[in-house]
Amino acid sequence: MKVILGVTGCIAAYKSALILRLLQEQGHDVIPVMTRSAEEFITPLTLEKLSGHRVITDLFEDHSPEILHISAARASDLLLVAPATANILAKFAAGLADDFLSTLYLSTTTPVVIAPAMNVEMWRHPATVSSVKTLWDRGVVFVDPESGYQACGERGEGRLADPARISSAVASVLQGTRSLEGKSVLVTAGPTIEDVDPVRFVSNRSSGKMGYALAAEAFNRGALVHLISGPTALDPPPGVKVTWVRSAKEMAEKAYSSFPSADIVVKAAAVADYTPVDVAAEKTKKGSSRWMLELQRTEDILLELGKRKDNQLLVGFAAESKNLVENATEKLQRKNLDLIVANDISQTGSGFEANYNQVVLVDREGLAEESPLLPKSQIAKQILDKVEVLLQRASTVSEESNES
Ligand code: CTP
């Protein structure tokens, strides 16, 4: 496939040569486009020699009758901008077209993947945050920058994502089935952490693997994915918007604010059911005997989402050690869900922390479908296949009721 690689002016521009190579290794024909300021950081000759294409920078450099930005846009399958500066994000968001790359962005109808890179304060600036949000809402896929040492000497978020993550996001976009294109999917994943004092906490064994696999699969199917994650040791899937939370309370706040704009909500997180009544500001010194820790119930986020449900398709999980289907069905009804994924946590090699899972999918009609023991990535496919069937069913029902 043909990928246009847009390179903009920041120090990470030198990494564009590696990104170009990785895309070629995937079998793509890469056409480089550079902004004027990118040329200050890497010479067009480098990308020209690697790609075998003339590097386009100037809107007016070509005097052939062909309109270059239109023909480039039509002849390509994807536009990747890596690294993308705050300036190009602002231009794309505002629809400015004052150079070749921004004009190309406006004329392309292909998927757009952007990997930003900039100083941490520039990345956090409300102007940049709002450009990213505008573009994300338009369906642009972001490969978020990473945290670490920056060329300016500061540390923090803003460093260009690993080139391998960028090329794998491109691969997912190009290979995906696009069956969830236009859908907004909210996934919660991982454990929550309930602080007891500055050094101790109450949590659970969730690794986040199932939720992350669901987020990755939804992204592969073309959805706009927002992952709300508790602390995990995993790298979030590229292309997915991530909001990090710690406690059940924080997860609830973020889930409630993102819920109205979601079409599909998958609540894979293992939310703590109890949290300490008091969080001590100082480390609690050990006494001579027992420590009675008083816990109170957290809010059941899924139950609340079920009450607020409008047109969203709501998927919950049920971790059970006995009476799997009965308990899951009771949760499905009580929490007003469309689908529940039940897993038997008494089974070894499946569920919490494991790479594999075996689940039963129970829908509102009481149909229970049992999966074999499969890698979580395969279970994610089965869950989303079922979600697509339910979406299809819901749209047929609404068409029939409109006709009558
Ligand atoms: N859940 C939630 N908020 C909570 C607890 C659970 O949103 N405070 C969600 C989980 O994300 C999951 C579902 O509820 O999708 C079921 O979680 P599970 O722990 O199996 O069940 P509970 O409803 O907490 O009931 P119990 O622990 O009594 O089995």
Side-chain angles (χ1 to χ4, degrees):
M1 295 215 192
K2 275 195 189 333
V3 174
I4 297 184
L5 171 61
V7 182
T8 67
C10 70
I11 185 70
Y14 77 93
K15 295 186 186 167
S16 61
L18 178 56
I19 296 167
L20 190 154
R21 268 278 178 251
L22 291 171
L23 294 172
Q24 286 175 327
E25 279 169 22
Q26 288 174 11
H28 304 306
D29 183 14
V30 186
I31 303 149
V33 168
M34 293 173 79
T35 60
R36 279 263 166 261
S37 44
E39 289 182 349
E40 302 287 332
F41 293 93
I42 177 169
T43 72
L45 191 64
T46 308
L47 300 185
E48 209 157 285
K49 290 292 169 210
L50 288 173
S51 68
H53 290 285
R54 190 165 62 85
V55 173
I56 316 169
T57 309
D58 197 337
L59 256 179
F60 305 106
E61 70 188 26
D62 193 289
H63 298 293
S64 65
E66 173 186 50
I67 303 173
L68 258 190
H69 61 274
I70 305 286
S71 56
R74 294 296 164 271
S76 65
D77 298 290
L78 184 138
L79 169 63
L80 165 68
V81 184
T85 55
N87 184 48
I88 203 79
L89 295 178
K91 288 210 286 190
F92 283 4
L96 289 181
D98 64 349
D99 65 2
F100 191 82
L101 185 57
S102 51
T103 312
L104 178 69
Y105 166 74
L106 280 188
S107 30
T108 195
T109 50
T110 66
V112 178
V113 179
I114 295 185
M118 66 199 73
N119 163 270
V120 54
E121 296 306 338
M122 291 174 77
W123 174 244
R124 284 188 194 146
H125 195 283
T128 308
V129 170
S130 126
S131 304
V132 170
K133 182 170 182 324
T134 304
L135 293 170
W136 198 79
D137 288 343
R138 259 180 228 161
V140 168
V141 168
F142 276 89
V143 187
D144 281 348
E146 292 168 3
S147 264
Y149 175 76
Q150 300 197 305
C152 51
E154 293 183 16
R155 290 192 77 83
E157 211 181 346
R159 212 167 68 165
L160 184 70
D162 186 332
R165 277 174 68 74
I166 298 172
S167 65
S168 96
V170 169
S172 302
V173 171
L174 290 174
Q175 285 159 16
T177 61
R178 321 302 295 163
S179 53
L180 287 176
E181 183 129 45
K183 298 286 178 204
S184 179
V185 178
L186 174 66
V187 179
T188 70
T192 65
I193 287 188
E194 310 303 320
D195 288 319
V196 173
D197 68 20
V199 294
R200 303 180 180 93
F201 58 77
V202 179
S203 189
N204 60 63
R205 287 172 47 198
S206 167
S207 63
K209 287 176 188 166
M210 192 63 246
Y212 281 46
L214 279 156
E217 183 58 27
F219 171 70
N220 287 347
R221 295 181 185 211
L224 271 184
V225 186
H226 182 188
L227 174 67
I228 300 179
S229 176
T232 69
L234 306 174
D235 274 341
V240 163
K241 171 176 155 180
V242 188
T243 302
W244 295 103
V245 295
R246 184 171 170 86
S247 63
K249 190 163 179 284
E250 273 175 35
M251 184 170 279
E253 280 162 13
K254 301 293 179 193
Y256 298 155
S257 66
S258 301
F259 188 65
S261 58
D263 300 303
I264 300 162
V265 179
V266 187
K267 203 73 204 39
V271 187
D273 290 321
Y274 291 90
T275 191
V277 172
D278 296 309
V279 182
E282 304 289 334
K283 182 184 165 194
T284 309
K285 286 285 180 195
K286 62 177 169 293
S288 51
S289 63
R290 290 183 189 185
W291 178 6
M292 301 295 285
L293 186 61
E294 201 183 344
L295 302 173
Q296 61 187 352
R297 280 288 304 271
T298 57
E299 188 171 1
D300 189 322
I301 305 168
L302 190 56
L303 182 77
E304 181 57 31
L305 295 181
K307 287 182 192 155
R308 296 183 186 198
K309 194 164 85 161
D310 180 5
N311 287 317
Q312 294 87 348
L313 194 133
L314 191 53
V315 183
F317 274 67
E320 306 292 344
S321 48
K322 60 180 185 201
N323 304 335
L324 190 65
V325 175
E326 293 94 298
N327 286 341
T329 308
E330 185 277 321
K331 280 180 192 168
L332 172 116
Q333 287 162 353
R334 181 164 47 85
K335 300 191 186 189
N336 190 23
L337 311 179
D338 299 283
L339 181 69
I340 193 151
V341 182
N343 45 344
D344 182 349
I345 53 165
S346 63
Q347 246 190 47
T348 47
S350 150
F352 278 112
E353 293 175 319
N355 291 325
Y356 282 69
N357 213 354
Q358 180 167 21
V359 299
V360 183
L361 301 182
V362 185
D363 67 12
R364 284 175 90 89
E365 323 237 290
L367 182 68
E369 295 162 74
E370 189 172 349
S371 78
L373 184 67
L374 289 171
K376 285 183 172 169
S377 55
Q378 294 299 318
I379 296 286
K381 285 184 198 294
Q382 294 203 347
I383 295 170
L384 291 183
D385 285 349
K386 179 74 187 184
V387 163
E388 287 185 19
V389 169
L390 295 177
L391 279 178
Q392 187 61 43
R393 198 181 290 166
S395 79
T396 317
V397 169
S398 87
E399 275 167 25
E400 280 170 5
S401 67
N402 283 345
E403 279 165 16
S404 60

